[in-house]
């Protein structure tokens, strides 16, 4: 496993552990306790902040906001019983497909 995937897996493990933590003991535990709508709201906020950062000239700010977006996306995955490997497998499946082919494969059922 490469270092990037290893970091994602380490983070996914921590997020799983936070599911059993008291809501007042960690930020992630509080997100889980508040439920799906709160997690989705955070993803929306982070996506908006990422877009705003990308409109600027500060690459560091883009990376910072993207990290927040990825983090909250991983929280959502964990909440749904999924993990980064599920997403990585899907990306691997798409590798070598054109975007047009991939989209057609989703709509031709």
């Amino acid at each position: 496993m490469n270092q990037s995937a290893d970091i994602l897996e380490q983070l996914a493990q921590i997020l799983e552990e936070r599911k059993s933590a008291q809501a007042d003991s960690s930020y992630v535990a509080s997100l889980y306790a508040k439920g799906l709508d709160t997690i989705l709201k955070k993803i929306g906020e982070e996506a908006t902040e990422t877009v705003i950062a990308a409109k600027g000239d500060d690459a560091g700010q883009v990376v910072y906001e993207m990290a927040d977006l990825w983090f909250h996306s991983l929280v959502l995955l964990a909440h749904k019983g999924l993990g980064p490997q599920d997403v990585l497998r899907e990306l691997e499946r798409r590798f070598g497909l054109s975007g047009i082919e991939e989209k057609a494969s989703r709509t031709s059922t």
Side-chain angles (χ1 to χ4, degrees), residues 62-91:
V62 173
V63 169
Y64 181 88
E65 296 299 344
M66 187 63 73
D68 281 350
L69 179 56
W70 282 18
F71 176 83
H72 287 90
S73 296
L74 289 169
V75 170
L76 172 62
L77 287 172
H79 183 75
K80 291 291 196 173
L82 301 166
Q85 286 303 317
D86 296 299
V87 177
L88 292 172
R89 276 191 295 275
E90 176 60 17
L91 289 171

Side-chain angles (χ1 to χ4, degrees), residues 8-51:
L8 290 175
E9 283 304 316
Q10 288 175 27
L11 183 52
Q13 182 178 355
I14 291 168
L15 295 176
E16 279 299 316
E17 292 168 4
R18 295 296 192 270
K19 284 181 175 181
S20 60
Q22 294 294 320
D24 61 355
S25 69
S26 82
Y27 171 70
V28 172
S30 74
L31 286 176
Y32 290 141
K34 292 175 186 172
L36 181 61
D37 286 347
T38 297
I39 294 168
L40 295 174
K41 182 179 176 189
K42 282 304 298 179
I43 290 174
E45 290 172 8
E46 299 303 342
T48 299
E49 291 171 6
T50 301
V51 169

Side-chain angles (χ1 to χ4, degrees), residues 89-98 102 106:
R89 276 191 295 275
E90 176 60 17
L91 289 171
E92 184 177 34
R93 183 192 70 78
R94 295 180 188 186
F95 200 81
L97 289 179
S98 75
E102 194 283 322
R106 289 184 281 140

